[in-house]
């Protein structure tokens, strides 16, 4: 969780530090923790969450998306 928080903060700070990430920055943040979901995979999870197109995401939502993208072992 710490790694996700750090990745979120880095990308957020690079974009003005609003505490929210736009959809198009999610893949960049996930990449910082070694995840490489496709845009389609991210879109699918966001749709499952019921978020509208063009939404922004706070850290809790970002962490939830990461969890939903992670394979169940």
């Amino acid at each position: 969780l710490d790694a996700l928080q750090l990745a979120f903060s880095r990308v957020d700070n690079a974009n003005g530090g609003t505490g929210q990430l736009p959809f198009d920055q999610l893949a960049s943040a996930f990449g910082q923790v070694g995840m490489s979901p496709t845009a389609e995979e991210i879109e699918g999870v966001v749709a499952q969450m019921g978020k509208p197109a063009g939404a922004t995401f706070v850290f809790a939502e970002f962490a939830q998306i990461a969890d939903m993208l992670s394979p169940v072992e």
Side-chain angles (χ1 to χ4, degrees):
L1 196 58
D2 289 341
L4 284 176
Q5 180 69 63
L6 182 59
F8 182 91
S9 295
R10 283 181 179 162
V11 175
D12 179 40
N13 289 337
N15 289 294
T18 64
Q20 299 184 359
L21 296 182
F23 177 85
D24 64 348
Q25 295 297 312
L26 295 176
S28 175
F30 288 130
Q32 292 196 24
V33 293
M35 296 177 71
S36 54
T38 65
E40 291 79 21
E41 290 171 326
I42 297 171
E43 286 173 7
V45 170
V46 168
Q48 288 178 37
M49 294 173 65
K51 295 283 282 190
T56 58
F57 302 85
V58 297
F59 175 72
E61 293 167 323
F62 174 71
Q64 181 181 5
I65 294 168
D67 184 54
M68 293 171 77
L69 287 169
S70 297
V72 176
E73 295 184 24

